[in-house]
Structures are given as C-alpha cells and as structure tokens.
Amino acid sequence: MSILVLNAGSSTLKYALLDDAAKTELVGGVVDWHGGDSTATLHFRTPGCEDSHTLVECSDYRGAVYEILHSLTANGIDKKISIVGHRIVHGGPVFNQPTLIDDHMREELEQISTLAPLHNPPALAAVEAARKVFPDAAHIAVFDTAFYSGLPMHEVLYPLPYQWFEEYGIRRYGFHGISHAYCAARAAEILGRQEDLSLRLVICHLGNGCSATAVRGEQPVATTMGFTPLDGLMMGTRSGSIDPGILLHLMQQHGMNGEHLDESLNRQSGLLGISGVSSDFREVEQSANAGHKRASLAIEMFASRIRSTIGAFTVTLGGIDALIFTAGIGEHSTTLRSRVCNGLQCLNLLLDEDKNRENDADSNIAQMDSAVRILLIRTREEQSIARAAQRIRPGSP
Ligand code: ADP
C-alpha cells in the first residue's frame, strides 16, 4: 500500500509516492509541459538512483496521471495506491481541514475556484483525472489556506469598508500553509520545544512564491500573503504589497484595465520586473555578480522587504526565538540569507557565515552567542500532504 501526492500547477504536475506510513518517499518527480501542448517531460527520481527524464505524449492531467502510473509500473513499483493526497491552494472560508473528496465536496471546490482562478482550476482538473485513474483510492484534499483558519480577526481583516468583508468576503486567507506548518513543527522538534506554547518563530518561505509567517507555539499569528497569493513579500514575478493608489492612478490616468494589471502584477513584476533578466533567483544572482545593476537592485529590494517583515513580525510576537529559511531560495542561497541577516544584529540575531556556507538542511546556522537561532529547514510539502491525508482516510482511527 502507498500514498500518492499530486500537486498541480498551470503547466506542471508534481507527484510523490510515499510508503503507507507517509514517512519515506519512494518516488518523486514532475510532469512538465513547458508551455507546449501534447508533449511533456516526465521527471522520475528514486532515492539512490540517477534521475530520469522521458518525453511523453500527453495533453492533459489525465494523460499525465496515466504516465506517472506507467512509469511506476515500468520501474517495478507495483504497490497499490490506497490514498491520493491533493494539494489545493485555496480552501475558501469553507475548508479548514483535510477533506475526503466526494461528488458533493468536488462541487463545493468548484464554487470557490473563483477565489483562486490561477491556482485551483489546475488542481481540480488533476483531482478529476486521478479519481478516474484510481477509482478505488481515497482522494483527500489538503489546503494551503487551512493552517491560517485560527488567524486572529485583527489580522484577517483589511482596513476597508466592513461591508466588503460581509458582502464580498474580502479578507486575508494566507497561503503556503502546508510548508509553514511543516517548518513550524520541524523547528520545534529541532529546538526540542514541541508543545511549547511560548515558542516564537518567523518562517520565511522563499521560492517562486514568497511568504513569511509569524508563529507562536506552532499557531500562526500573522502572515504576509492575503486575500490572494499576490500580497506581501516581493516574489519571482509577483509584486507583493504595493501602494493600491498606484493601481488607481494607472486605471484613471493611463487607461489600464483589470486584465492588464493582473498580467503585470502577477507575471511581469517582482525579481523579473526590476531586474529585466529573469524571475529565477539563481539567474538574477549570476547577472548581479557579473555587474548587472538592475539585477543587484532587485536582490537588494528582495532582501530588504524580507528583513523589514522579520522586524515587524518580531514585534508582533514580542520577540523571536528562531528565524527559519525554507524553499528554493531560502534553502540554497547563501548570499541571500547573509544579506537578510546583515541588519538584524539589532535583534541579537547573529549569522555564522561558515555554517551558512555549508547549506546543511535542518541545521542551525546562527553563531553560538546569538540570542536567536537561525534554522535552514528543507520543506517537505509532499510528506505533510501524505501525513494529513493518511490521518483522515476512511477507516483510520
Ligand atoms: P516553487 O515555489 O515553484 O516550489 P522553489 O521552492 O523550487 O519554487 O524555488 C524556486 C527558486 O529557488 C528559484 O528562484 C530558484 O532560482 C531558487 N533556487 C533554487 N536553487 C537555488 C540555489 N542553489 N541558489 C539560489 N537560488 C536557488
């Protein structure tokens, strides 16, 4: 028996197969369409073996799920898949727990799709495909927003007419919750402070999307992403928080419409917008090292916004016990971590540059005499989804 985890993006379907206890990843990979239509690359990795890449003919998620199944069989992995855990970005106001997907629940998911038009529709298509390919498995939705269901009301609301909250549901939801929840629990474990309600953490998830969350005793008390994943920190192609007056000005004085603003804020801003080079941090870093001025500026802005958020969240928490870096940039960029921490000495947060260069997952990279621990944690969203799904499968205690 095993658990399959599916994480659908607009042109990718990430997958992982875990053992029945949701502890060990047996296989992982991604089907990637690169924006093309009927041909995709299937990446397949198993621990201890070299990664493989195969071109496959498939034009939709159903085809992709079949290709994943074929590659498992072709590689001699014939474990029965009893649970499929689906990552769903937005659970709306309704879903704040992992939930078994049946026809009724599927319809409810469809209804909240308008809240996350970029993120939920691909996941729903993957749910549909996987239910056809694995009709006997329990399909369970695990939500990125669920971690924030207990966020205090003064953090949930925006200072807008209250009626917008009541009538249109305008409120903060918070995203990347699966990763933040995993990191909070892992940090408590590393620090030997599980179930310590006074533990104060600031977690920075820095990937293509970026967010920070302030956590007390494993519960979130503030987060940067909001009604949509566009709010908060500067990201690969997303702006993060900006003066909303800019949008009014562009609409009123330059005739920009919603579609144009959507494209600009979601896909043409952030690291890409400022550097003009790329949305990929590594490429921006390389250009900056080669003397590209706008690439350097983009990195300085990126770091500066993270630093200010850490400061603000430290005040929110009334102090900080550990700062956590995770996701692609957080886990791998020595220079970014260094830049962010340089300026936080006022919090008695002191980075050990040698440990920082070692890039060891799940390690403390602070100096011995730093009052604040600095942890580099490898996020394991697939494992978290599998565990959450396993806990609620029909028949589990
Ligand atoms: P996603 O949000 O799509 O899951 P990831 O968490 O994989 O993204 O993060 C992708 C980002 O991580 C990219 O900007 C990439 O350049 C960056 N990244 C990955 N490896 C490194 C590295 N060794 N050094 C710096 N940045 C890196």
Side-chain angles (χ1 to χ4, degrees):
M1 302 275 257
S2 56
I3 305 172
L4 179 67
V5 172
L6 296 178
N7 179 356
S10 55
S11 62
T12 58
L13 179 64
K14 291 186 193 158
Y15 66 94
L17 187 75
L18 289 97
D19 66 341
D20 195 35
K23 279 203 177 121
T24 313
E25 185 178 298
L26 309 169
V27 176
V30 59
V31 179
D32 189 340
W33 280 274
H34 323 281
D37 45 7
S38 63
T39 314
T41 307
L42 185 136
H43 300 256
F44 188 91
R45 55 164 202 273
T46 39
C49 297
E50 216 170 282
D51 293 2
S52 73
H53 311 257
T54 329
L55 275 185
V56 291
E57 283 297 313
C58 68
S59 53
D60 57 12
Y61 289 102
R62 191 165 171 187
V65 177
Y66 269 120
E67 289 299 339
I68 293 168
L69 182 61
H70 287 158
S71 61
L72 292 174
T73 318
N75 283 277
I77 297 157
D78 56 0
K79 287 176 183 285
K80 182 174 159 44
I81 292 170
S82 51
I83 301 177
V84 184
H86 297 268
R87 176 188 178 208
I88 311 275
V89 168
H90 212 313
V94 185
F95 298 108
N96 56 23
Q97 296 290 339
T99 308
L100 184 70
I101 305 171
D102 55 19
D103 289 342
H104 173 67
M105 194 275 185
R106 170 80 183 68
E107 266 170 39
E108 280 188 279
L109 275 179
E110 195 85 58
Q111 279 163 21
I112 53 176
S113 254
T114 51
L115 285 172
L118 294 178
H119 297 88
N120 275 23
L124 282 180
V127 165
E128 209 53 29
R131 286 179 81 198
K132 293 206 169 95
V133 179
F134 303 106
D136 299 328
H139 290 261
I140 291 159
V142 182
F143 299 95
D144 254 330
T145 45
F147 183 50
Y148 300 103
S149 61
L151 214 55
M153 210 52 187
H154 63 263
E155 292 292 337
V156 166
L157 288 184
Y158 287 97
L160 294 166
Y162 193 79
Q163 184 197 355
W164 289 10
F165 166 60
E166 292 179 312
E167 274 185 33
Y168 309 128
I170 304 296
R171 49 159 290 183
R172 183 184 303 283
Y173 282 103
F175 297 87
H176 287 153
I178 298 166
S179 173
H180 285 288
Y182 172 81
C183 289
R186 185 74 183 110
E189 195 181 0
I190 294 171
L191 300 171
R193 293 182 63 179
Q194 288 116 312
E195 296 179 29
D196 178 347
L197 298 181
S198 65
L199 179 62
R200 299 159 303 182
L201 308 171
V202 176
I203 303 169
C204 298
H205 175 112
L206 309 173
N208 285 315
C210 300
S211 64
T213 298
V215 172
R216 184 182 292 115
E218 296 190 32
Q219 291 303 315
V221 294
T223 192
T224 54
M225 281 183 169
F227 180 65
T228 71
L230 183 56
D231 201 359
L233 301 176
M234 177 172 167
M235 311 184 208
T237 60
R238 285 175 249 165
S239 61
S241 306
I242 58 162
D243 174 0
I246 296 168
L247 307 183
L248 301 178
H249 174 83
L250 291 172
M251 286 163 75
Q252 289 162 353
Q253 307 302 324
H254 299 279
M256 283 194 199
N257 61 20
E259 216 173 311
H260 191 155
L261 292 173
D262 180 0
E263 170 67 18
S264 304
L265 296 174
N266 274 304
R267 297 188 192 82
Q268 304 295 334
S269 297
L271 289 170
L272 173 66
I274 296 298
S275 70
V277 172
S278 171
S279 63
D280 188 288
F281 192 81
R282 269 170 300 195
E283 290 177 19
V284 180
E285 229 176 11
Q286 274 162 14
S287 298
N289 291 340
H292 193 292
K293 287 208 165 50
R294 271 173 50 191
S296 299
L297 178 63
I299 293 178
E300 194 43 55
M301 287 170 67
F302 187 79
S304 166
R305 286 172 169 234
I306 298 167
R307 209 182 298 119
S308 311
T309 302
I310 295 167
F313 281 1
T314 298
V315 173
T316 301
L317 290 165
I320 173 170
D321 298 308
L323 169 66
I324 289 127
F325 287 104
T326 193
I329 304 168
E331 290 170 26
H332 300 292
S333 178
T334 306
T335 48
L336 190 271
R337 290 192 300 262
S338 183
R339 261 176 198 270
V340 169
C341 292
N342 193 5
L344 294 176
Q345 292 89 344
C346 56
L347 300 178
N348 230 329
L349 184 152
L350 308 171
L351 181 74
D352 183 321
E353 293 290 357
D354 291 331
K355 289 184 192 162
N356 184 36
R357 265 189 295 276
E358 282 167 21
N359 253 336
D360 282 343
D362 296 6
S363 67
N364 173 23
I365 53 173
Q367 292 176 21
M368 294 285 274
D369 57 347
S370 174
V372 182
R373 301 277 154 266
I374 308 170
L375 304 179
L376 190 167
I377 295 185
R378 184 136 306 154
T379 191
R380 297 188 196 277
E381 288 168 292
E382 283 77 19
Q383 195 186 74
S384 290
I385 294 168
R387 284 194 179 165
Q390 188 217 33
R391 275 196 295 276
I392 71 135
R393 82 167 128 184
S396 66

